[in-house]
Amino acid sequence: MGAIFAFLGGAFITLQGVANAQISQSIGTWQAAALTQFTGFVVALIVLLAMRDGKLGDYGRVKPGYLFGGAFAALIIFGNVKAIEEIGVTISSASLLIAQLGLTFAIDSNGWFGVAKQRMRWPHFAGIGMMIAGVVILSV
Amino acid sequence: MILGLLLAMTAGALVSVQNIFNSKVNERTGSWATTTLVLGMGFLASLAFGVAFEGKAMFRLEGMQTWFYFSGIIGVGVVTCLVKGIRMLGPTYAIAIALTAQLLIALVWDSLGLFGVEQVPFTLKQLIGVLVIIGGVIVFKLGGAERSSTASSTISTTPHVDKS
């Protein structure tokens, strides 16, 4: 059951990128990013209010800078949409994941942003290496 | 080709940082409070960039179709499924499965050329490439798992994407 949810979650991530790319072709990339996030925001807000999942004051307990993390999504969506147009969904998704896992790994191993420090181990290097090899196979 | 790779990798790097910021918010609030804030911020930033680069043209939505209004719900589906999946399986396995699904669905999409995506013919090379990448994800996630706590910082969404 959990595996089905996890699989669907991943499938929706790809679907979201493709939908953004499709909407961008009709109304423009910034418009697509603004529209999809606005409608998502409205739905999430309704769920939040319906579930009474915390109160507004909770935001005050977060270090203010971290509250703006969501703003990166504008550039993330823009980059993802343009990449899908240039190199297709598969290579875009794979390269995005390599950069994402690689940087997360660097952040974890250096303890940046106050995250708990992790030791680098060989499966991390082997895993990233295999992912890059896979993208090279797809690209040549 | 190079431009596409650079754009995708820049997006991936930003997803990584965003996920850490979001998990900091999530520690003090709930997952829906986090999702609402993240999407709201993403909307405001996209609006600001759009107005900065395109001015009034940002508000000209010619070619709008009804389903465009509902695509944002996909993002809510991402959060719901990942939160449930992680709760039931733990972050390491749930995220390894989610990343695998992301790549498999991407391959299916390219192969079929669905919804305006340019079709990339399915070949053995494509399949091998994707399987090698998925193998890498599994080695990274399962072999590298030391403590389950940090795996949560690797979740990706839209925006989407990339959020949660």
Side-chain angles (χ1 to χ4, degrees), chain A residues 67-76, chain B residues 18 37-38 41-43 45-46 49:
Chain A
L67 294 172
F68 296 94
F72 290 125
L75 297 172
I76 293 168
Chain B
Q18 194 197 31
L37 177 75
V38 167
M41 285 292 171
F43 162 68
S46 305
F49 276 113

Side-chain angles (χ1 to χ4, degrees), chain A residues 98 101 121-134, chain B residues 132-141 144:
Chain A
I98 289 170
L101 291 177
R121 293 164 54 215
W122 70 265
H124 293 124
F125 294 105
I128 298 257
M130 284 175 74
M131 292 173 72
I132 293 170
Chain B
V132 170
I133 297 169
I134 290 173
V137 168
I138 292 171
V139 169
F140 183 96
K141 276 284 155 202

Side-chain angles (χ1 to χ4, degrees), chain B:
Chain B
M1 181 81 198
I2 296 294
L3 177 66
L5 286 174
L6 283 177
L7 284 165
M9 296 191 80
T10 307
L14 289 170
V15 169
S16 165
V17 176
Q18 194 197 31
N19 284 338
I20 288 168
F21 281 35
N22 294 353
S23 69
K24 300 271 183 192
V25 177
N26 201 26
E27 279 167 18
R28 302 288 166 92
T29 63
S31 53
W32 287 106
T34 306
T35 307
T36 307
L37 177 75
V38 167
L39 289 170
M41 285 292 171
F43 162 68
L44 290 177
S46 305
L47 188 67
F49 276 113
V51 170
F53 288 117
E54 299 183 7
K56 276 186 202 149
M58 176 65 189
F59 302 100
R60 210 177 297 135
L61 300 180
E62 285 154 20
M64 190 68 193
Q65 291 171 37
T66 315
W67 73 268
F68 294 177
Y69 290 107
F70 298 97
S71 72
I73 298 169
I74 301 171
V76 176
V78 171
V79 177
T80 313
C81 290
L82 288 181
V83 167
K84 276 190 196 296
I86 289 169
R87 202 173 290 153
M88 294 163 102
L89 293 179
T92 306
Y93 286 97
I95 290 163
I97 292 170
L99 297 180
T100 302
Q102 238 175 297
L103 292 162
L104 285 178
I105 300 297
L107 181 62
V108 169
W109 220 276
D110 270 340
S111 307
L112 300 176
L114 298 171
F115 294 127
V117 169
E118 203 179 321
Q119 193 175 3
V120 182
F122 180 81
T123 58
L124 189 62
K125 190 188 83 172
Q126 293 259 313
L127 182 65
I128 292 172
V130 168
L131 288 179
V132 170
I133 297 169
I134 290 173
V137 168
I138 292 171
V139 169
F140 183 96
K141 276 284 155 202
L142 272 49
E146 192 169 12
R147 256 176 302 160
S148 54
S149 62
T150 50
S152 61
S153 56
T154 330
I155 307 175
S156 84
T157 68
T158 65
H160 96 46
V161 108
D162 311 21
K163 59 205 78 88
S164 86

